[in-house]
Amino acid sequence: MFDAVHRYQFEDFVTDTHRATADDELFALLKRAVAQHGYDRISLWVIDDPDLPQRVHGRGVLHNFPEDLRTYYKENECDRYDPIMLALRTRTTSLDWEAHERQSDYKPVQTRLYDVARSGGLHNGISTPMWGRSGLLASLGLASTERRDATYANPDLIAAVTAQFYLSYKRLNAHALPSQSPSQALSQSQGITPKQAEILSWVAAGKTDQEIADILCISRNTVDTHMRQIFARLGAHSRVTAVVRGIAEGVIRP
């Protein structure tokens, strides 16, 4: 267990999720990781991931959202107009529900949806998209049963936790694939070299450029050069986006 002194570090989350052997075990680790940031409601939505069988597609394939809210969402076909899900289809970064509502011109039916969510105990919501070559693969929504100011997470950290969780979820549930050598897999990943894949793996583990340089016995400038090349080859604009796309492309694996 963790407390105010012994917080659950991202590096430990990476290690533990790599070792997880079942969905419920993996979900328990995610709940532990996000609880320390004030989130206690989670919903994974697998939208269209060709690496995963249809049995694990759908809204809330892993979740602890209230069932009455899930029923409302389904009965009112909210997936047709949910403003957060519509917005996630055009962005790669996490989206704050309340900030998006303040900055957007919601239709009455959209405002009603989030009024219902808040009245049902979903506050401080944030959703993170997972992208792959085929488009938007999945999203992970987090919320708090507490009201405003209950959460205090860095969105980039939440995105990194989300990416690591989804990587492990895919490991547990993906279609069986023909075996590939590491060199074959890397050659199909937009020119990412083995060294760059190693660096990106350390980025996913939460290491800074200087820490990676120390681990690999190279200069920080060399790490920076590799990172710029990784960004260019994956079409990423940030470390978190690079990790997410690296996971989707199979550049980094558990």
Side-chain angles (χ1 to χ4, degrees):
M1 298 295 292
F2 63 87
D3 54 31
V5 176
H6 300 96
R7 295 179 66 80
Y8 190 30
Q9 300 296 324
F10 181 66
E11 293 86 346
D12 296 326
F13 177 69
V14 171
T15 299
D16 291 344
T17 52
H18 283 181
R19 294 172 176 169
T21 58
D23 286 353
D24 57 352
E25 180 185 358
L26 185 62
F27 193 60
L29 293 171
L30 179 63
K31 288 192 289 186
R32 179 182 177 186
V34 301
Q36 64 187 346
H37 302 295
Y39 298 106
D40 57 358
R41 294 295 189 183
I42 305 168
S43 182
L44 172 65
W45 185 346
V46 179
I47 299 167
D48 186 13
D49 190 332
D51 293 335
L52 294 175
Q54 283 302 310
R55 63 179 175 77
V56 296
H57 279 69
R59 293 185 299 270
V61 291
L62 292 177
H63 80 94
N64 62 359
F65 273 24
E67 284 300 331
D68 56 343
L69 294 181
R70 284 168 49 80
T71 299
Y72 176 90
Y73 199 98
K74 180 179 180 180
E75 291 180 347
N76 290 275
E77 299 182 333
C78 297
D79 51 347
R80 295 187 297 105
Y81 57 81
D82 183 340
I84 299 300
M85 291 307 302
L86 293 175
L88 288 181
R89 295 184 180 279
T90 63
R91 61 185 292 146
T92 58
T93 55
S94 298
L95 183 61
D96 181 296
W97 298 0
E98 294 178 358
H100 186 262
E101 185 174 15
R102 290 193 301 270
Q103 297 163 6
S104 306
D105 184 17
Y106 277 14
K107 297 177 181 178
V109 69
Q110 294 174 320
T111 298
R112 170 64 178 164
L113 170 60
Y114 281 89
D115 284 345
V116 169
R118 284 185 286 265
S119 66
L122 298 186
H123 304 280
N124 311 298
I126 184 171
S127 290
T128 304
M130 275 74 78
W131 286 85
R133 286 184 178 179
S134 62
L136 182 61
L137 306 178
S139 72
L140 186 76
L142 303 175
S144 170
T145 52
E146 300 294 329
R147 293 187 180 276
R148 187 173 298 280
D149 298 328
T151 54
Y152 37 89
N154 180 324
D156 282 349
L157 177 58
I158 290 299
V161 168
T162 298
Q164 175 59 32
F165 166 78
Y166 194 63
L167 169 64
S168 295
Y169 181 77
K170 288 186 65 157
R171 171 178 60 83
L172 293 176
N173 291 283
H175 292 295
L177 298 174
S179 60
Q180 283 185 319
S181 70
S183 61
Q184 287 175 320
L186 289 168
S187 69
Q188 295 175 8
S189 299
Q190 303 201 27
I192 297 298
T193 68
K195 178 61 71 177
Q196 289 164 356
E198 183 178 15
I199 288 172
L200 191 58
S201 294
W202 285 116
V203 172
K207 300 299 184 183
T208 66
D209 285 1
Q210 186 59 61
E211 289 171 332
I212 296 171
D214 293 341
I215 291 169
L216 300 181
C217 298
I218 56 179
S219 72
R220 182 171 179 172
N221 286 341
T222 299
V223 174
D224 180 68
T225 297
H226 281 305
M227 285 304 303
R228 285 188 277 108
Q229 292 172 347
I230 289 170
F231 283 6
R233 291 169 182 174
L234 292 180
H237 64 275
S238 70
R239 293 164 71 91
V240 170
T241 305
V243 168
V244 172
R245 292 187 177 173
I247 291 168
E249 297 289 343
V251 175
I252 52 178
R253 297 182 182 276

